[in-house]
C-alpha cells in the first residue's frame, strides 16, 4: 500500500466515523424536536393526531372555562381558524383571554389539543415570534412593525 493509498484510507475511515456520529445525533434529536404550528396549520391537516408540537396563537375571548380540579379548556385562534385546547395544571399568572399563548402537546383524533405546558407572554407588548409570524400571514397582525 502506497503512502497516498494509506492517507485516502484514513480519510475515508474518518469520514465514515463522522457520518455515523452525525447519524446518531440526528436520530437522538428526532424525538426532541418540537415544531410550531398555528391553528391554520392544524386546520390544513399538516399535523397528524398524536404528533407532538407547539400550538400558538391568541386565547379566544369567551372560551376559557375551568373544569374539575386544575383542568381548563380554552380555544387558541389565529382569527382564521380555532383549535380547542385542554390543559391540566397551573396556568401562568399572565394567562388571559385575548393574549398570545404557546402550548405544547399533541392533538387527539377528536381535534382537541391536549396541552402539557402553557407559556404566556411576559409583558403586554410581547408576542412570541412564531405567533407574530402566523398572525402576519393571516393579515391580522396588530402589533408594532417588528
Amino acid at each position: 500500500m502506497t503512502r497516498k493509498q494509506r492517507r485516502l484510507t484514513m480519510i475515508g475511515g474518518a469520514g465514515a466515523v463522522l457520518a455515523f456520529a452525525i447519524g446518531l445525533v440526528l436520530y437522538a434529536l428526532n424525538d426532541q424536536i418540537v415544531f410550531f404550528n398555528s391553528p391554520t396549520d392544524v386546520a390544513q391537516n399538516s399535523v397528524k393526531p398524536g404528533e407532538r408540537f407547539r400550538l400558538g396563537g391568541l386565547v379566544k375571548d369567551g372560551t376559557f372555562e375551568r373544569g374539575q380540579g386544575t383542568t381548563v379548556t380554552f380555544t387558541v385562534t389565529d382569527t382564521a381558524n380555532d383549535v380547542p385546547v385542554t390543559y391540566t395544571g397551573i396556568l401562568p399568572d399572565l394567562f388571559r383571554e385575548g393574549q398570545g399563548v404557546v402550548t405544547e402537546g399533541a392533538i387527539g383524533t377528536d381535534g382537541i389539543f391536549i396541552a402539557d405546558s402553557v407559556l404566556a407572554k411576559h409583558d403586554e407588548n410581547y408576542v412570541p415570534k412564531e405567533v407574530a409570524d402566523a398572525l402576519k400571514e393571516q393579515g391580522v397582525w396588530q402589533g408594532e412593525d417588528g
Side-chain angles (χ1 to χ4, degrees), residues 86-122:
T86 298
Y87 173 69
T88 300
I90 299 172
L91 289 170
D93 291 338
L94 299 174
F95 180 88
R96 287 178 289 189
E97 291 182 342
Q99 298 295 322
V101 66
V102 175
T103 60
E104 187 172 327
I107 196 162
T109 55
D110 55 0
I112 297 175
F113 186 81
I114 310 296
D116 54 22
S117 69
V118 173
L119 306 172
K121 66 181 185 78
H122 59 76

Side-chain angles (χ1 to χ4, degrees), residues 1-13:
M1 186 179 265
T2 64
R3 187 175 175 179
K4 184 176 181 180
Q5 289 174 330
R6 280 187 288 190
R7 190 177 321 143
L8 288 175
T9 303
M10 288 185 64
I11 290 172

Side-chain angles (χ1 to χ4, degrees), residues 54-103:
R54 286 185 174 186
L55 173 68
L58 303 173
V59 178
K60 189 172 184 177
D61 289 332
T63 61
F64 179 79
E65 293 180 15
R66 290 206 177 271
Q68 294 184 354
T70 57
T71 301
V72 296
T73 60
F74 55 94
T75 299
V76 174
T77 184
D78 59 2
T79 67
N81 292 287
D82 300 339
V83 175
V85 176
T86 298
Y87 173 69
T88 300
I90 299 172
L91 289 170
D93 291 338
L94 299 174
F95 180 88
R96 287 178 289 189
E97 291 182 342
Q99 298 295 322
V101 66
V102 175
T103 60

Side-chain angles (χ1 to χ4, degrees), residues 11-24:
I11 290 172
V17 169
L18 182 63
F20 182 73
I22 289 172
L24 285 176

